[in-house]
Amino acid sequence: MEQLHRASSLLQLDPATLTILEHPRRTIQVSVAVRMDDGSLRVFEGYRVQYNNARGPYKGGIRYHAQTDMDEVKALAFWMSVKCAVVDIPFGGGKGGISVDPKMLSHGERERLTRGFARAIAEVIGPDTDIPAPDVNTTPEIMDWIADEYAKVVGHAAPAVVTGKPLASGGSEGRGTATGQGGFFILESVRQKIGLDPETSSVVIQGFGNAGQSIARLLHRHGYIIVGLSDSRGGIVPDHGLDPELVHQHKEKTGSVFGFPGATDVTNEELLVHPCGILIPSALENQITKDNAHSIKAKIILELANGPTTPEADTILADAGVTVVPDVLANAGGVATSYFEWVQNRENTHWTESEVFTKLEETLRIAFEDVWAVKEQYQVDMRRAAFVLAIRRIKEAMRVKGWM
């Protein structure tokens, strides 16, 4: 909401539009009863928020996390509305989740929970209505279970009801690495604007999950020097550059990046302020705050995580001349490729990975140029420019639909 209000003040947004954008169109909360392996019955709380569908069906992931609640899902659904508008794909914004630690469930319990949740929300999702996708702790297999259960409810196969599915079930080539690939395309656009030289550009990446590993491999391949990596346990900074493939092999053997030969172990807090040219937070939200923003040494922050920088930190970084490439642009490769999967499902076709990434690069290049143009027009940071661009597009869609 803070980002919405900052953008609306620049646009001089009328009160009616602002009021609509401050509230989701629909919130759904369900209780899902699951028979556990020991015979007991547990009830889990599930959520789906459908924030705004002026530009198309609601779109957004489903996360399984112990701390998931309605407030979090509302915020993420609003973010998705903005993200889809920034990259100009014909979706609105939605999000879902279940309050659960999936690591405490067996494979069978996770499947029964997922299928129960799918039945509970089946009447409010659909290929033309609301299209879920994977998010924190959810997988292509889980999407497959949702699609299968939805098909049972409606009486026919409807693969386009979810994206992020396995390839065998209608998933898209390139989806697994799309967020990292998209972040790389956006960084290349930034580099061309401000004249970065990859061979002298040092990079720190916080988070070594799917997105972090993908972009680390791409950057290493293109000559960037990786001087820091981390996972949930902490980080490593090397005497020289890191090869992400070797770090991945070490993590597979030991369970963490810690103890990598030729590197020093550090905390995630220390990693964020380690000297580098480019900082890529790709883990959790609220990592860069007013408490550590003054100590950030990077010149560019590329947000592959959702919400890693607080509004207070944004102000500090802008005053220090740091270019922050916001999450709604930097990590939009995932949702853009989800859109491509949805199109392929609707058209009953299948694109090659090369075709997917060509379309992705073009989509994100145009989105970057659109955001940069607004940045130059208003002389603001990229986050505010992205929100201004998105709100303009959502407002116009609401206007032509007669919502105001």
Side-chain angles (χ1 to χ4, degrees):
M1 291 300 99
E2 174 65 22
Q3 301 298 351
L4 169 63
H5 292 151
R6 287 186 178 199
S8 67
S9 64
L10 281 176
L11 283 170
Q12 298 182 328
L13 204 62
D14 60 280
T17 301
L18 183 59
T19 298
I20 291 172
L21 291 175
E22 286 175 331
H23 298 89
R25 286 178 66 81
R26 180 190 285 180
T27 60
I28 300 107
Q29 182 167 351
V30 297
S31 297
V32 184
V34 178
R35 185 67 63 185
M36 308 303 285
D37 290 346
D38 64 4
S40 65
L41 192 73
R42 284 185 62 189
V43 175
F44 298 87
E45 295 303 309
Y47 313 92
R48 188 69 182 172
V49 173
Q50 297 174 333
Y51 206 96
N52 188 288
N53 65 342
R55 290 174 45 85
Y58 303 104
K59 186 79 186 77
I62 293 173
R63 59 176 49 189
Y64 289 180
H65 196 279
Q67 296 177 333
T68 292
D69 59 20
M70 184 62 83
D71 284 341
E72 177 190 55
V73 176
K74 283 181 182 178
L76 292 166
F78 171 70
W79 245 321
M80 285 301 301
S81 302
V82 171
K83 189 181 297 186
C84 290
V86 167
V87 293
D88 205 17
I89 53 178
F91 286 146
K95 206 75 176 184
I98 299 176
S99 300
V100 61
D101 180 355
K103 295 176 183 177
M104 303 302 293
L105 303 182
S106 70
H107 184 269
E109 288 167 344
R110 283 196 299 275
E111 180 173 0
R112 293 193 289 277
L113 172 62
T114 300
R115 290 183 179 276
F117 181 59
R119 291 193 296 273
I121 65 171
E123 64 184 26
V124 298
I125 64 173
D128 298 305
T129 309
D130 184 353
I131 304 119
D135 198 76
V136 175
N137 292 326
T138 51
T139 62
E141 181 180 46
I142 287 172
M143 295 304 106
D144 215 12
W145 293 336
I146 294 173
D148 183 60
E149 206 62 33
Y150 179 81
K152 294 176 185 176
V153 172
V154 300
H156 59 83
V161 68
V162 293
T163 59
K165 301 179 293 296
L167 283 174
S169 301
S172 176
E173 302 283 353
R175 180 63 185 88
T177 59
T179 301
Q181 185 73 58
F184 175 76
F185 289 147
I186 292 294
L187 183 60
E188 286 294 279
S189 292
V190 176
R191 182 179 68 80
Q192 291 166 18
K193 287 289 184 187
I194 65 178
L196 276 179
D197 177 6
E199 293 185 359
T200 59
S201 297
S202 56
V203 183
V204 164
I205 303 172
Q206 184 204 34
F208 204 53
N210 183 40
Q213 286 190 39
S214 296
I215 198 165
R217 289 187 171 103
L218 284 164
L219 293 172
H220 180 70
R221 193 183 310 149
H222 285 81
Y224 290 81
I225 304 166
I226 299 175
V227 297
L229 290 171
S230 75
D231 56 24
S232 59
R233 287 179 56 186
I236 51 172
V237 294
D239 300 330
H240 306 289
L242 290 166
D243 181 335
E245 183 54 41
L246 296 179
V247 177
H248 171 71
Q249 293 171 14
H250 174 79
K251 182 177 170 69
E252 287 288 293
K253 291 178 183 176
T254 67
S256 173
V257 301
F258 263 19
F260 183 75
T264 302
D265 293 341
V266 296
T267 65
N268 264 299
E269 291 75 19
E270 291 170 327
L271 187 86
L272 288 171
V273 299
H274 187 70
C276 64
I278 303 165
L279 173 62
I280 305 179
S282 61
L284 300 174
E285 63 273 7
N286 298 327
Q287 297 298 295
I288 302 173
T289 69
K290 61 181 175 61
D291 297 323
N292 64 3
H294 288 292
S295 302
I296 297 289
K297 299 175 180 66
K299 298 302 180 186
I300 296 172
I301 297 175
L302 183 80
E303 295 184 337
L304 281 196
N306 283 320
T309 309
T310 66
E312 298 88 352
D314 260 338
T315 300
I316 294 168
L317 294 166
D319 290 343
V322 179
T323 298
V324 178
V325 187
D327 47 8
V328 292
L329 176 62
N331 70 20
V335 73
T337 307
S338 284
Y339 167 62
F340 299 155
E341 179 177 333
W342 180 78
V343 171
Q344 291 170 78
N345 293 160
R346 300 304 297 270
E347 296 178 350
N348 195 26
T349 188
H350 187 80
W351 302 341
T352 66
E353 183 176 86
S354 176
E355 289 175 309
V356 169
F357 285 159
T358 297
K359 294 175 190 294
L360 180 62
E361 183 173 15
E362 177 68 7
T363 298
L364 295 182
R365 184 190 63 77
I366 292 171
F368 173 83
E369 292 294 341
D370 289 346
V371 171
W372 195 268
V374 176
K375 173 186 181 296
E376 295 295 293
Q377 177 186 356
Y378 288 97
Q379 291 297 296
V380 293
D381 59 84
M382 289 190 70
R383 190 185 314 280
R384 200 173 304 190
F387 272 72
V388 165
L389 176 66
I391 291 166
R392 273 184 188 168
R393 288 173 171 169
I394 296 170
K395 176 184 177 181
E396 178 60 15
M398 293 194 300
R399 185 192 67 79
V400 299
K401 284 180 166 58
W403 290 11
M404 300 175 293

